[in-house]
Every structure is written in C-alpha cells, then in structure tokens.
Amino acid sequence: VRYNSDGSLDTTFNGTGKLTTAIGASSSEDGAHSVIQQADGKLVVAGYSYSGGNYDFALVRYNSDGSLDTTFNGTGKLTTAIVSLTDQANSVIQQADGKLMVAGYSRKSNENDDFALVRYNSNGSLDTTFNGTGKLTSAIGASDDVATSVIQQADGKLVAAGYSYNGNDNDIAMVRYNSDGALDTTFNGTGKLSTAIGAWNDYAYSVIQQADGKLV
C-alpha cells in the first residue's frame, strides 16, 4: 500500500494505491517482511513463499507505479532455496554498488535455525562473488539463530543482527562479514557475538551504524 503524505491512498500506485502479488502456486503462502526503495526509485520487497514442501526466500521488484519490473529475473519475482527446509527473509538492503543483500534464517533441522544471507545482482541473479554461491548460513549458538536486520557499513562490510538460543534462552546476536561473505575476524575475534541483557529472552530486530562507526 502506498500513501500520500496526508495519509490518503496514492492512486498513481497500481491505480488504487494498493496491490497484492502471488509468488508461488495458488495454494501457496507468500509473506512480506521488508521493503526498500532503490536509488533508481524501484521498490523491492523481501519475505518468503511456500513452495508446497517448504518455505523459500522470496523477492519482488516493482516499478514506481506498482507494475512488476520484468528486468528482475524476467518476471519481477524470484524465490531462493538455501536449505531443504524453511528459509525466510526478514531484511533487505541495496548495497552501495546496487546489489541486493537479503538476510533471514534457514532451518537445517527441526527447530535449529542459522543466520542466512543471500546477495543478488541487480538483475536478480545470484552474486557468486559472495561466498562462491551467493548464499551462506552462519551458526552462532546452540540453535535457533535468526537474523532480523542487515546493514552495509561505510567500509562495505555487512552486519546482520538478530538472536540466538544459548541452550537456555535467547540472546541478542550479531555477525559481521567481509564484502565477500567471509567472517570478519576483527569483530570479536570470530566475526560473531551474542549478548545477554536480562535473565530470560533477549531479541534484536534492528541494527544501525552510528556516524562514529559504532554499532547499535
């Protein structure tokens, strides 16, 4: 849905200000978790699509009027399987070079999730300069590692934030990667960290880099 600044529906967007987009088959479930506007004005939405056996990362790119951008994967839509079980995208950004970085989680076994990142070229193809395949997963704690937010630092490095299960409860978790997807071992010695705040569950849903370079 797109609104004018006064809260009224913007009817220049799909004629009504509203649209829905099916990604999978008619019986599938498609959900959006994150949206951005690219530097060229196009809109990118990331989330998930149920393929009939599991969930995959899903992306849709729209022109500014709400029409599908068919220069993106030929249809404006794509899905990406990372593992054989559930993959869901929670955050999307456009890098300074125009590539799209998407972060979420992949379920490698029952209730055991890892951070998952995928990088795409501007046409929707996988960027194989990222981890050799365009895709990667990172285990942090005992299980249930979920990335909810991703940013690109000013130096080009990537930071994913979310939470990780330590065996008793969830802690805030962060991972920093070099631009090629390798773990940045200058960050906490391993590229990964988790932080407990309270005595029970702690979750992170957003990360930023301050002007001084610090991460919040």
Side-chain angles (χ1 to χ4, degrees), residues 136 138-139 175-178 180-187 190-192:
L136 65 77
S138 297
V175 182
R176 190 163 72 190
Y177 304 88
N178 295 311
D180 63 357
L183 289 168
D184 174 19
T185 56
T186 68
F187 184 70
T190 61
K192 304 181 283 186

Side-chain angles (χ1 to χ4, degrees), residues 164-216:
S164 175
Y165 186 68
N166 63 24
N168 295 304
D169 53 64
N170 290 297
D171 294 331
I172 286 176
M174 286 210 300
V175 182
R176 190 163 72 190
Y177 304 88
N178 295 311
S179 60
D180 63 357
L183 289 168
D184 174 19
T185 56
T186 68
F187 184 70
N188 196 43
T190 61
K192 304 181 283 186
L193 63 79
S194 58
T195 304
I197 300 174
W200 193 228
N201 289 317
D202 308 309
Y203 302 97
Y205 290 107
S206 183
V207 59
I208 61 165
Q209 184 180 36
Q210 295 185 164
D212 61 4
K214 294 176 181 179
L215 297 167
V216 181

Side-chain angles (χ1 to χ4, degrees), residues 120-136:
Y120 302 89
N121 296 307
S122 60
N123 64 0
S125 61
L126 289 169
D127 173 18
T128 55
T129 68
F130 184 72
N131 196 44
T133 62
K135 306 181 282 186
L136 65 77

Side-chain angles (χ1 to χ4, degrees), residues 63-164:
N63 296 307
S64 60
D65 63 358
S67 61
L68 289 168
D69 173 19
T70 56
T71 69
F72 186 71
N73 196 44
T75 61
K77 306 180 284 186
L78 63 79
T79 60
T80 303
I82 302 168
V83 297
S84 59
L85 297 176
T86 292
D87 306 309
Q88 291 200 27
N90 291 323
S91 181
V92 58
I93 61 167
Q94 185 180 36
Q95 295 188 165
D97 61 5
K99 294 177 181 179
L100 296 168
M101 172 56 62
V102 183
Y105 72 91
S106 288
R107 180 159 296 169
K108 62 185 180 183
S109 62
N110 187 38
E111 298 303 319
N112 191 357
D113 306 325
D114 289 340
F115 273 33
L117 278 76
V118 181
R119 191 162 70 194
Y120 302 89
N121 296 307
S122 60
N123 64 0
S125 61
L126 289 169
D127 173 18
T128 55
T129 68
F130 184 72
N131 196 44
T133 62
K135 306 181 282 186
L136 65 77
T137 61
S138 297
I140 302 166
S143 64
D144 297 342
D145 306 314
V146 176
T148 57
S149 182
V150 65
I151 61 168
Q152 185 179 40
Q153 294 189 160
D155 62 4
K157 293 179 180 180
L158 300 159
V159 178
Y163 54 91
S164 175

